[in-house]
Amino acid sequence: MPVDVLVGLQWGDEGKGKIVDVLAPTYDVVARFQGGPNAGHTLTFDGIKHVLHQVPSGIFHPHIINVVGNGVVLDPVVFRQELKKLTDRGVNWGQNLYVSRKAQLILPSHRALDRINEEARGGSKIGSTLKGIGPTYQDKIGRTGLRVGDILLSDFRERYQEAVARHATIAEFHGRGLEIEEFEADFFSAVEFLRTLQLTDTEYLLNDLLRQGKNVLAEGAQGSMLDIDFGTYPYVTSSSTIVAGACTGLGIAPRHINKVYGISKAYCTRVGSGPFPTELHDGVGEQIRTAGREFGATTGRPRRCGWIDLPALRYSIMLNGVTEIHLMKADVLDEFDEIRVCTHYELPNGEKTDHLPDYGDLEKLTPVYQSLPGWRTNLQEITDPQALPQQLKDYVHFLEQRLEVPISIVSVGPDRVSTLHMA
């Protein structure tokens, strides 16, 4: 059976968690392939909001196997907290959650380094979530990191102390100390908890399941425009957020990839620093932020808001080989008389392009907009896609024509039931 992959097409926060939750019942396995506790997947059902950070979004379905892949960086403290909240809400995750022994561990010293590094940047901050993600991936690439499987070794404490000593040297370079002593007891307690979970070589698990005819949904975090190679570098995350990352982050061959679900909001948002061509600094941007409750699920930071950006979307679609688009949060635009769409960029020399330039040129662009009529309808009351206002149908059709990919789902509210499958 195939592996279908779900990726964000913008700068993250597109609503991937909700879509995984909606699609999950048709899959045997949901596997997370990259990122760490810097992700915040929000799911709402039965009137209750659930925010997942490291646990795959299929965890609410008892029949689904949930896998934390080797491409993930795992914070044991956050992971334990997250699983405790699930237990308190009656979710029995004990039998269907597996964690890769090859996933990297986030140490307290990684979090300290993250803050020290970000503060050292002064006015050119990346906008890190300060969860230790970057320093952990740095250690992974530098071949000095600790992995989940290492907690099962008798000399894990010694390995930990060696890692902390290396990190202390880096901190000293900035004239700082790590100051992590108060966090270490909680960390080692969480490590003891982690040892009780199903830690395994998940690449074997996943490939065995595929041979058995099981189908897999691979779940990414962040968005394609934050990819370490193809995003708006250096204002990106530290992992591969595109479809290619699913292969390396889960240990599956490219030949298994089938459908690619690309998730996009009906507008754009971004958290942290970096270029954002269609960002709105006026009352319209604030109206979108308020209506969409655009505050980070992980950090609580207000998100920067703007109109939808088709050159950036086409770029992400190309990189991922997207086969269908799921358009999220269309209801946020309910009150607008006019919906604007960035179709091209104007370069400093006056030429127009529909290609996404590199970061250095991206800040010098002027977005070129086309206006479409708004729908002025409360979409959250609609449960039949045929009942959608014609203006929204026209908006969807316009996007499909420009992006050359069908839009198969339109989300008109936060709840599971507000997910309309288009004909």
Side-chain angles (χ1 to χ4, degrees):
M1 293 292 285
V3 177
D4 295 339
V5 185
L6 182 141
V7 293
L9 297 180
Q10 297 166 307
W11 283 276
D13 309 307
E14 299 94 348
K16 296 182 289 298
K18 177 185 178 181
I19 292 299
V20 173
D21 181 60
V22 169
L23 297 177
T26 63
Y27 289 89
D28 302 301
V29 183
V30 173
R32 171 80 176 273
F33 64 84
Q34 51 78 221
N38 54 342
H41 289 178
T42 302
L43 303 82
T44 304
F45 50 89
D46 300 330
I48 301 174
K49 184 171 77 170
H50 307 267
V51 179
L52 299 176
H53 299 282
Q54 299 176 109
V55 176
S57 301
I59 199 66
F60 297 101
H61 303 272
H63 70 283
I64 295 174
I65 295 172
N66 289 265
V67 175
V68 177
N70 57 276
V72 172
V73 289
L74 191 72
D75 186 324
V77 175
V78 176
F79 201 53
R80 180 178 60 175
Q81 292 171 347
E82 196 170 344
L83 292 176
K84 184 180 184 304
K85 287 182 181 178
L86 290 172
T87 299
D88 292 344
R89 292 181 172 180
V91 178
N92 183 7
W93 45 264
Q95 298 303 311
N96 66 335
L97 177 64
Y98 295 84
V99 179
S100 172
R101 291 162 53 98
K102 295 180 175 64
Q104 295 280 321
L105 286 174
I106 299 175
L107 311 182
S109 49
H110 285 131
R111 296 173 66 101
L113 281 182
D114 205 355
R115 183 174 296 278
I116 290 169
N117 290 338
E118 187 76 341
E119 290 173 355
R121 288 179 175 271
S124 58
K125 288 180 171 59
I126 293 293
S128 169
T129 57
L130 306 179
K131 303 294 183 182
I133 310 299
T136 306
Y137 276 116
Q138 282 180 291
D139 277 1
K140 176 178 180 176
I141 298 303
R143 295 164 292 180
T144 58
L146 297 179
R147 305 201 288 187
V148 167
D150 292 334
I151 70 174
L152 304 175
L153 302 176
S154 60
D155 64 344
F156 173 69
R157 287 252 181 180
E158 289 80 1
R159 291 171 183 248
Y160 171 84
Q161 294 298 341
E162 289 174 3
V164 170
R166 286 194 301 271
H167 297 159
T169 301
I170 298 172
E172 288 171 9
F173 175 80
H174 293 286
R176 302 282 296 278
L178 291 176
E179 301 174 356
I180 60 172
E181 291 78 9
E182 64 180 296
F183 305 109
E184 290 187 307
D186 200 22
F187 172 78
F188 281 107
S189 173
V191 165
E192 288 299 319
F193 169 79
L194 192 57
R195 288 188 177 115
T196 68
L197 305 185
Q198 299 184 96
L199 313 180
T200 188
D201 296 320
T202 53
E203 65 273 26
Y204 277 108
L205 172 65
L206 287 168
N207 281 282
D208 286 344
L209 290 168
L210 289 171
R211 277 191 291 271
Q212 294 169 26
K214 307 296 185 182
N215 58 347
V216 176
L217 179 61
E219 173 189 23
Q222 289 84 44
S224 297
M225 296 305 296
L226 294 176
D227 183 84
I228 185 64
D229 287 296
F230 298 104
T232 47
Y233 189 90
Y235 299 97
V236 294
T237 193
S238 302
S239 58
S240 180
T241 62
I242 62 176
V243 167
C247 296
T248 58
L250 295 175
I252 55 174
R255 66 184 177 87
H256 291 301
I257 303 296
N258 184 29
K259 294 179 181 178
V260 178
Y261 305 115
I263 315 302
S264 169
K265 286 177 179 171
Y267 51 96
C268 266
T269 63
R270 178 165 194 166
V271 173
S273 305
F276 182 2
T278 64
E279 183 175 8
L280 296 167
H281 300 279
D282 55 12
V284 174
E286 185 58 39
Q287 185 177 351
I288 292 174
R289 183 180 299 109
T290 301
R293 298 182 179 89
E294 292 295 355
F295 300 89
T298 297
T299 63
R301 290 182 296 181
R303 296 178 183 137
R304 301 155 63 190
C305 298
W307 296 116
I308 198 165
D309 185 331
L310 297 193
L313 274 179
R314 278 193 293 268
Y315 182 69
S316 294
I317 288 167
M318 174 187 72
L319 294 174
N320 289 291
V322 171
T323 58
E324 58 186 85
I325 294 170
H326 299 168
L327 191 69
M328 310 301 291
K329 303 186 81 165
D331 55 297
V332 172
L333 303 181
D334 282 356
E335 298 301 318
F336 288 94
D337 293 316
E338 175 188 68
I339 310 297
R340 304 189 78 192
V341 177
C342 173
T343 59
H344 295 77
Y345 302 133
E346 184 176 312
L347 302 174
N349 63 5
E351 295 181 5
K352 291 182 181 179
T353 180
D354 61 359
H355 283 202
L356 187 75
D358 194 16
Y359 159 66
D361 299 317
L362 197 54
E363 291 196 321
K364 304 172 186 175
L365 300 174
T366 302
V368 177
Y369 290 107
Q370 183 166 337
S371 295
L372 285 80
W375 38 89
R376 301 287 296 177
T377 303
N378 184 357
L379 296 181
Q380 293 195 29
E381 297 180 353
I382 297 175
T383 57
D384 180 0
Q386 297 303 315
L388 290 172
Q390 187 60 47
Q391 293 90 335
L392 175 55
K393 292 179 181 178
D394 292 343
Y395 181 64
V396 169
H397 182 63
F398 178 84
L399 296 181
E400 287 180 320
Q401 282 191 314
R402 293 301 182 105
L403 299 173
E404 300 180 333
V405 178
I407 295 175
S408 59
I409 284 179
V410 174
S411 175
V412 295
D415 202 272
R416 275 177 181 168
V417 298
S418 301
T419 312
L420 306 184
H421 295 261
M422 309 300 287

